Amino acid sequence: MESSQSNGETVLVESLSSSTVQDSSAATDPPQPLPPHLSHDPENNLKRSDPFQFGSRLLSQEDNVFEFNAWDHVETDDSYKEYAELQYAKQREAPVSDFDKGRFNSDPAKWWNNFYKNNTANFFKDRKWLQQEFPVLSKITKPVAGPITLLEVGAGAGNTAFPILKHNQNLNLKIHACDFSKKAVEVIRENEAYNTKNIQADVWDAASEELPPGLEEGSVDVVLMIFIFSALSPSQWKQAVQNIYRVLKPGGEVLFRDYGRGDLAQVRFKKGRYLEENFYIRGDGTRVYFFEKEELIKIWTGKETEDDGVGSTGFEVINLGVDRRLLVNRAKQLKMYRCWMQGRFRKQVKPVPG
């Protein structure tokens, strides 16, 4: 499952002016020539390597925020935080009606099928950044990697699976691409690059009590979950985590990326979209949740913090980071904040004490 917002690309800033905070001083002052010493140093564009390689165009006090369209690792300023809290309050005051809650929650697959019917495969952009953010994806595609089973949960139109296959040199790599939507699976199977020797696409509900078709317990090396967990309701998280635990080999990894609380996509929701705290219905009927870091630690490990003792889920956190990005509309002097959560979770080799 994925949406037009789910691949983390920059949204069209011109269409979001009604949902952003305007820099009033910059808007009223006449534009001035930028002094050379305020010009951004290209050296700051080098990638980081720990724990993830998000971006590294870093904004300092000497930089002109409107010199570039985007800056990395920028914390939200006080005015935006205040604006966001006001938006959340308005959302809570005008939630989804009980009738619509039942309509959207009773058959979420219907809305995802409609989504993929209305958006062709060309609508989605390939996630070429994944191997940079998750180097293990490069390792498993090398000729000497050996037999590897990769499960992608929420495979959508195949915009993760097919780029991996395109660069794959491992004859023993098999990708199982599963999605909640029958239509999404059809799109994958109709792709000219689809070959059942290397990839198998199936319909699977990650929150069901069944394992994915063709997979047994302890048979998967790596699980990819990119903008899929947010499509589940909070009541489904526990079952989904249990299913991933069951299908993974001991020591197997989950590669995770999803929306973070305070992301522009959350702040801009209007009335009639609020299901429950941090959980919303999009205009196309699909659901989306916005996570906090501590919340994900508890979901995936059962611990309140990373420093607590042994968790209850059988997973441990390898890395968990917050990817923040400031987008700017230089023409309108607007600032917009994006926020995503990115993590690696590992199935513990030793059994969890009962």
Side-chain angles (χ1 to χ4, degrees), residues 55-313:
S56 56
R57 177 176 286 160
L58 307 179
L59 179 65
S60 68
Q61 290 183 339
E62 292 77 22
D63 283 312
N64 176 359
V65 68
F66 295 107
E67 183 181 3
F68 292 93
N69 291 327
W71 300 87
D72 299 300
H73 312 295
V74 179
E75 293 284 344
T76 54
D77 58 28
D78 291 340
S79 62
Y80 183 85
K81 290 177 182 178
E82 182 180 352
Y83 171 75
E85 291 301 327
L86 289 173
Q87 289 295 102
Y88 301 151
K90 292 178 181 178
Q91 293 165 358
R92 297 184 191 105
E93 291 171 358
V96 175
S97 67
D98 290 339
F99 172 79
D100 281 340
K101 281 185 179 180
R103 189 162 64 98
F104 292 121
N105 287 328
S106 62
D107 188 15
K110 167 188 174 182
W111 304 100
W112 283 107
N113 284 329
N114 288 341
F115 175 81
Y116 285 104
K117 287 177 183 177
N118 295 331
N119 298 287
T120 65
N122 292 333
F123 175 79
F124 306 98
K125 295 182 179 180
D126 288 346
R127 292 166 172 164
K128 300 176 182 178
W129 47 268
L130 277 177
Q131 289 179 315
Q132 175 177 287
E133 295 294 341
F134 297 112
V136 65
L137 294 177
S138 294
K139 293 179 181 178
I140 65 175
T141 57
K142 293 185 182 301
V144 296
I148 296 289
T149 300
L150 170 66
L151 167 63
E152 184 184 6
V153 185
N159 302 90
T160 294
F162 289 121
I164 291 175
L165 285 179
K166 183 178 180 180
H167 297 95
N168 178 48
Q169 296 178 306
N170 181 3
L171 298 178
N172 296 308
L173 172 68
K174 182 64 177 285
I175 297 178
H176 287 257
C178 295
D179 200 278
F180 194 35
S181 166
K182 293 180 180 178
K183 184 60 180 178
V185 172
E186 289 176 9
V187 172
I188 293 177
R189 290 177 177 176
E190 291 169 359
N191 191 300
E192 62 181 11
Y194 185 76
N195 184 332
T196 54
K197 179 182 178 181
N198 302 112
I199 181 171
Q200 176 179 328
D202 292 293
V203 176
W204 182 58
D205 179 358
S208 69
E209 296 184 357
E210 305 293 329
L211 293 182
L215 292 174
E216 300 177 351
E217 291 196 17
S219 63
V220 172
D221 298 278
V222 178
V223 174
L224 262 176
M225 302 186 74
I226 309 298
F227 296 106
I228 178 269
F229 213 68
S230 55
L232 303 177
S233 72
S235 63
Q236 296 176 303
W237 295 342
K238 183 177 180 179
Q239 182 64 50
V241 171
Q242 289 177 350
N243 288 340
I244 301 305
Y245 179 85
R246 288 174 60 197
V247 80
L248 269 176
K249 297 177 181 179
E253 291 189 17
V254 178
L255 310 182
F256 180 98
R257 185 172 172 90
D258 224 312
Y259 297 105
R261 190 176 192 275
D263 181 69
L264 174 64
Q266 177 182 16
V267 175
R268 65 199 276 252
F269 275 114
K270 304 300 182 184
K271 63 181 181 180
R273 297 295 172 192
Y274 177 93
L275 281 169
E276 56 185 275
E277 195 66 11
N278 298 327
F279 196 36
Y280 301 82
I281 287 291
R282 297 189 182 96
D284 58 14
T286 60
R287 305 178 302 185
V288 59
Y289 192 94
F290 297 84
F291 295 95
E292 297 190 70
K293 182 177 180 179
E294 294 74 15
E295 187 174 37
L296 286 173
I297 293 172
K298 186 173 182 179
I299 291 169
W300 281 96
T301 69
K303 302 189 296 184
E304 294 295 335
T305 69
E306 289 186 73
D307 296 329
D308 288 349
V310 177
S312 59
T313 66

